Amino acid sequence: MMNFLEKRILKDGVVAKGNVLKVDSFLNHQMDVELLEDIAKEFKERFKTQKVDKILTIESSGIGIACMCAKEFGVPMLFAKKSKSINIEGDVLSVEVESFTHKTVNQVIVSKKFIRPQENILIIDDFLANGCALQGLISIVQQADAKVAGIGIVIEKGFQNGGKIIRNLGYQLESLAIIESMDDQTGEIFFHKD
Ligand code: G4P
């Protein structure tokens, strides 16, 4: 049985060259807010046993999803900012994140005052590929002496190694759709079944 997100990916997702899945008609450019609401409800269900004090994501396309999750959990949403500059001023937690897709390095920063020691942080993002962005967010939570309550991902590319790395670190990683393979010639998308 396919879930609501897998169905939507099959309906509106487009397989592009280089193992890229385009979901810009409903998830990360134009956004279907009702779908985002369903996504948030699903995360609430999957993390119902966890104490969550705050939702953390990274700009830019994680923000909309994280906002809906914050509403669902009844907690604030915080997004990490990407900055090209090496001179980071003030009281910030920062980490360098490399993007395999874009071949760039960004400084990712969060103001120290927004993550308190012992806070329970649920990390949310739209895609998990190699996991660099996610490892950066985990590092920021650790620098603040806070706890990762869990990690919610909308679409995991199961054929890239991010999911394996993060699960091996022992975190509860919940991906709503895991793509096993896709074919830009035929447009076919296959999901992981558990
Ligand atoms: P990683 O963080 O998991 O290591 O991934 P990677 O460097 O490969 O990905 C870089 C960017 O590309 C991320 O967004 C990620 O969400 C996005 N991405 C990765 N694979 C896909 C894909 O198949 N389809 C789409 N649409 N996006 C993908 P970003 O550049 O950090 O930022 P933003 O788009 O959120 O601003």
Side-chain angles (χ1 to χ4, degrees), residues 19-23 28 58-62 82 98-102 126-134 157 160 182:
N19 272 326
V20 169
L21 177 67
K22 301 278 289 177
V23 288
N28 60 14
I58 181 164
E59 70 176 351
S60 56
S61 42
K82 291 174 189 165
E98 197 177 335
S99 167
F100 279 91
T101 312
H102 304 297
D126 58 343
F127 270 96
L128 172 57
N130 298 298
C132 295
L134 208 46
K157 293 159 86 185
Q160 291 183 244
M182 49 192 194

Side-chain angles (χ1 to χ4, degrees), residues 144-190:
D145 290 319
K147 293 181 205 149
V148 176
I151 298 164
I153 296 292
V154 182
I155 304 174
E156 175 179 336
K157 293 159 86 185
F159 51 87
Q160 291 183 244
N161 57 16
K164 194 182 289 172
I165 293 168
I166 301 294
R167 288 189 181 90
N168 283 343
L169 292 171
Y171 295 107
Q172 183 187 351
L173 168 60
E174 297 286 345
S175 300
L176 304 191
I178 302 179
I179 296 173
E180 199 136 276
S181 66
M182 49 192 194
D183 187 332
D184 66 343
Q185 298 296 312
T186 62
E188 283 173 301
I189 300 168
F190 298 99

Side-chain angles (χ1 to χ4, degrees), residues 59-76:
E59 70 176 351
S60 56
S61 42
I63 294 176
I65 301 157
C67 268
M68 300 301 279
C69 292
K71 179 99 199 300
E72 193 63 35
F73 282 81
V75 300

